[in-house]
Structures are given as structure tokens and as C-alpha cells.
Amino acid sequence: MLKLNNVEVIYDSVILVLKGISIEVPDGKITTVLGANGAGKTTTLKAISGILRSERGEVTRGSIELDGNRIDNRAPHSIVKDGIVQVFEGRRVFGNLSAEENLVAGGHIVSKAKMRANMEKVYEYFPRIAERRDVISGYLSGGEQQMLAVGRALMSDPKLILLDEPSLGLAPMIIEEIWGIIRRLREEQNVTFLLVEQNATLALEIADYGYVMENGAVVLEGPAEQLRDNADIKEFYLGMSGEEKRSFRDVKHYRRRKRWLN
Amino acid sequence: MDGETQFLIELVTNGMLTGMMYALVAVGFVLIYKSTDAINFAQGEFCMIAAIFIASFVFLYGFPLWLSIIVVLVLMILFNVALERVVLRPMIGRPVVAIIMATIGLALMFRGLGPLLFGAETRPINLPIPDLPIIWGPLFMSPIDVLGAAISVIFLAGFGWFFLKSRIGVAMRAVADSHQVSMAMGINVERYFVIAWVLAGVVALLGGIVWGNAIGVDTQLAALGLKVFPVVILGGLDSIIGVVVGGIIVGVVEALAAGYLDPYVGGGTKDFTPYVLMILVLMVRPYGIFGKPIIERI
């Protein structure tokens, strides 16, 4: 289980981005973090994976624990060895490498035999990638690139995958396909997911538990079905308003206050 | 075969041999560019300083050549490890220009350091090979060039295999593609920077030996860096095959210019024709003949 306790992140020694957030990611579950742009979702993932350091960010307070061991402010490659791997927003495949070479790079930390075995596993989950293994990945479609990015993450035998906006810019059908694979991975490979999304509808469809972030703090948390029914979430994230029909005359007045802000 | 054709064939073969030797120096640029995305403007100076050390150890301290080469190889590796750690590592995440400027500073430092330590006179590196030309059918080839080209071919083939097929090579290309994403894959990016710089140092040493043997060792050898620039740009900064093809093109063009144009203008054309060619190629293919075009999905 991954536990963030009151984590504070500061960039460039002055910019306070995360103001003490606490998140728990239980094994074998899909946990989601929702929030608008700039809420600190991606920073949270980078703090966990250690990538933060390459952007001059630092965990200045609190702790990040994986199964009881602290992993905050460690080098990213040692965190991958502990079984946490991040899939970046916007896919970020190695565009000049072929799909298969992307997988080879993803399996960098495992032995050669294990890498071969993992590659077969990835091809089994993503037959589309298997078909296009020799294509330079920069020329793959968006959906294929997202699948490759998830497949590449699987190459290092992770216990926990940090997924940053996998739905970004993809057709609903492709997203459904990827969601299906994520569910299978959880059941068959016992992989845990921490999913960051702006699209709350999609995220709450697959997640077991969710957190809502705003301005670098967690403002709301609960089981996914509970969040789906929460009036504030409905209004601000799911784009549904109250039941009754409103006259357009009232629209201007209508601005629901977020209940979690004072 | 008439004299005219014979002359042409000779120019072309000698141009190709020289071209392979250019490629050996040029591959140093490619190694750095492929893994760190920066251009090492000190590559020519690396060759020069390696050659100066080798020649000086032989002439000033009486080392046998093989020992001198091994000692300099070790020094070169240590130096590059230190260089990466002290100068270049703090620049990770900074704009590439910062690294380029650092290499220019390094180049100037080397140009001063060589003569300061060992004096400025020209010394030879004498590889144990005969002076008599190799005659093969209608061809006359100088053994120095043949050996230089052979060493180039062997190492270039080795590097080509390394980058394309080995896991370390794939990881290095991944690092070149994105430092951040490579880190997230568990690749120790800093270690690969060290490997790249050490390899560049080793290539520079080979280049220094081959070229020092061919033209003698002094600070003029550093001009090689500039000289092979058209090679790198022609072939594409990130392609080993490109470097070979670029090297051969530049070598042949130089030889042809020297053979056919020099008699009319009184010499010197071989020094600038490669640059003219470079500009022409850049107009048509800005990323070189074999370079990676920037992939953009719209």
C-alpha cells in the first residue's frame, strides 16, 4: 500500500504546489485523483515517482511510504525498482524508437529473459501493439501510443502504475478499450493503479475510491459510487445540474458555491 | 584504361579512404548528440589532446607506442568521467546551449593546455606500417589511409550494432529522446551520460591516432573538429550510417576538387567545397541525409 502523509511540495525552493495532502492507495485497487488544471494532480504523481527532482521540485514536509518504507525524495530509477512506474500525461512514447524498442527501454531494470517474457505479456494484452511492433512509435495513432505507454510501464513488473490522464485526446471507444485492459491487469496481474483524471465521469466509472484536489489540497474523498452521487461533484465535475428545470432567467443567478470552500 | 579514368578512380578511392577517417572523428559528435542532445564542440580538441599526449609520451619520456596509447586511453576515460560529473551533470535540465557553451570553453582550454604541457612543436605518431603504397589493380593506396579506414570501419560497425541492437544502445537512444521519461523507466540517465562521454573520448583517441599518423601531431589537429562538421551535418547528427555516408561524400568531393579544380585556381578548393556542399544539402534536407526528421502528429 502506498501512503502519502501530509505531503508538501515546493518547486524552486519558493513555489508551494502541494499544501499537505494525504492519500492512500490500497493494493489491488484503482484509486483516482480528480481536479481541474493546476490542482496539483500531476505534481502528486511526480512526487511519488521521484521525477519531481528533475524539475527542481522537492518534498519538503510529510512522507511518502510504500509498504511502510519511505520513498520520498529518492532517485526515480530506484523507485521503479521498488515497483512504482509512472505513465506520463500525453503518452510521451520515445518517438524515434520503434514500438518494440520502447518496450525494451521500459524493461530496462529487469533481466533479459524476464524482459522477453514481459514483452510477450504486453503483446498479449495489447495485440494492436504486437501488430505494429516495428513501426516508429512517433507515427502510431494516439490510442496506440497510449497503449504503448501503458505496455511500456508494464515491462518493469510494477506493483503500482501511476496513470496521468490516459483519456487525454482519445476517442471514447479507445478509452473504453484501455479501461477494459486496466481492469484485466488489476484482476489478472494484481496491479494497483493510481489514476489522475480531469474527466471525472470516466475516472469514477473505473475507480474504487477517489480524491478531489483543488489548489494543492485534497478537498473531498470517498468511495467512487459515493462521489458519483455527491451534488458538488455532479455540478462541477460531471457537468450535471439539479433535477428541476430552470428558467434561463435564473441562469445568471445560478452559481452554486462549492461546499468545501468555507 | 586511359590516364583520365585512372586519375578519377584514384581520386575517388583515396577520397573514400579519407572519408572513412573523417567518419571516425565525426562519430564522436553523433555519440554525444544521440544520448545528450548536445553538440560537443570540443570533439576535435579531444582528438588533438589525445594525440599530443600519445606523441609526447613517446618522444619526451621514451614510452613504447602501445604503452603510451594505453596510458592515454586510461587518462581519457578518467578525464571524461570527471568532466561529466563536474561540468556536465549540473547542467542536466538546463538549455542545451549551456552545454554547448561549456564544450566551447573546454575546446579553448585544450588548445592552450597541449602546448603548455608539452611544447608546441609538431611530432609524429608512427604506427608500425610500411610506407610503400599498396598497389591493387589500377589503384595506388597509401597504407596509412588504408589502415585508418580499416580502423574506422571496424569501430563504426561496432557502434552501429551497439546502438541499434544492444539493450544499452536502446536505453541510450531512449535517454536522447527524453531524459524525464527515461528516468521514469528506471534508466539511470546520469550513468548513460557518462557512458556516452567516455565513448566519445575513446573515439577521439582513435581519431587522434589515425589522423596524427597521417598528418602529424600539433594543435592544428584540432581543426579536425571543424573539418568533420560538414560530415556530421550532411549525414545527420544522430545517424551512424549517415556519418559513414557523409564522410565518404566529403572525402570524395574534397579529392575531386583537389584533383580537378585546384589546377585552375591554384589550390585550396578542397578546404571549402565540403562547406558549400553542406549548405546545399541543408537547403534540401535540414536534418541531414539520414537524420531523424522531427516527428509531429497533427
Side-chain angles (χ1 to χ4, degrees), chain A residues 48-64:
Chain A
I48 298 168
S49 67
I51 294 294
L52 205 58
R53 297 206 312 177
S54 70
E55 299 184 337
R56 296 162 178 259
E58 211 187 340
V59 176
T60 45
R61 210 174 284 169
S63 66
I64 302 174

Side-chain angles (χ1 to χ4, degrees), chain A:
Chain A
M1 166 143 97
L2 178 78
K3 251 177 117 168
L4 279 72
N5 287 320
N6 201 23
V7 171
E8 181 184 271
V9 166
I10 294 184
Y11 276 108
D12 267 329
S13 311
V14 284
I15 306 160
L16 178 64
V17 181
L18 294 188
K19 303 165 185 167
I21 65 160
S22 300
I23 286 177
E24 279 185 17
V25 185
D27 288 342
K29 299 279 186 213
I30 299 176
T31 308
T32 186
V33 175
L34 307 173
N37 287 329
K41 310 182 299 292
T42 300
T43 301
T44 307
L45 294 194
K46 285 178 176 163
I48 298 168
S49 67
I51 294 294
L52 205 58
R53 297 206 312 177
S54 70
E55 299 184 337
R56 296 162 178 259
E58 211 187 340
V59 176
T60 45
R61 210 174 284 169
S63 66
I64 302 174
E65 286 171 18
L66 180 68
D67 302 328
N69 302 316
R70 286 192 63 163
I71 58 164
D72 39 305
N73 289 327
R74 290 232 321 261
H77 55 89
S78 83
I79 289 175
V80 175
K81 287 197 179 109
D82 283 347
I84 300 182
V85 62
Q86 180 173 2
V87 176
F88 287 91
E89 179 181 349
R91 280 96 66 174
R92 302 281 293 273
V93 294
F94 299 120
N96 294 296
L97 275 61
S98 72
E100 181 150 313
E101 285 169 345
N102 266 274
L103 297 182
V104 172
H108 186 72
I109 62 160
V110 299
S111 71
K112 194 163 188 175
K114 193 86 187 83
M115 191 211 33
R116 288 278 148 212
N118 285 352
M119 197 179 280
E120 286 313 311
K121 192 171 80 187
V122 170
Y123 284 151
E124 190 190 309
Y125 278 98
F126 302 96
R128 207 117 58 105
I129 302 298
E131 271 166 40
R132 313 207 62 186
R133 62 177 81 184
D134 295 323
V135 177
I136 298 297
S137 63
Y139 294 119
L140 294 175
S141 76
E144 288 164 346
Q145 286 189 354
Q146 186 63 59
M147 290 179 193
L148 180 60
V150 176
R152 184 177 63 180
L154 281 173
M155 291 295 293
S156 61
D157 277 332
K159 289 186 277 191
L160 168 63
I161 297 182
L162 312 173
L163 272 180
D164 199 348
E165 298 216 19
S167 73
L168 188 78
L170 299 182
M173 225 172 75
I174 305 286
I175 297 171
E176 279 310 317
E177 197 177 336
I178 291 175
W179 263 207
I181 293 167
I182 290 176
R183 285 200 188 94
R184 271 182 66 202
L185 284 170
R186 176 179 57 166
E187 271 142 41
E188 296 166 18
Q189 309 287 335
N190 202 25
V191 182
T192 309
F193 287 90
L194 177 55
L195 171 69
V196 153
E197 266 294 345
Q198 283 200 43
N199 189 330
T201 320
L202 285 172
L204 291 175
E205 179 187 305
I206 191 175
D208 301 301
Y209 199 85
Y211 294 83
V212 177
M213 282 184 75
E214 228 168 67
N215 286 325
V218 172
V219 289
L220 189 68
E221 64 174 280
E225 57 271 23
Q226 209 173 309
L227 288 182
R228 273 195 295 264
D229 294 335
N230 181 298
D232 286 328
I233 297 283
K234 273 188 179 168
E235 169 66 22
F236 295 107
Y237 291 100
L238 302 182
M240 292 183 267
S241 48
E243 320 289 300
E244 79 283 1
K245 262 184 151 177
R246 274 173 292 112
S247 150
F248 278 107
R249 197 180 58 185
D250 303 329
V251 167
K252 213 170 169 212
H253 298 277
Y254 185 86
R255 182 93 183 116
R256 191 186 174 103
R257 286 195 59 186
K258 290 179 183 174
R259 233 165 260 165
W260 55 70
L261 301 177
N262 52 57

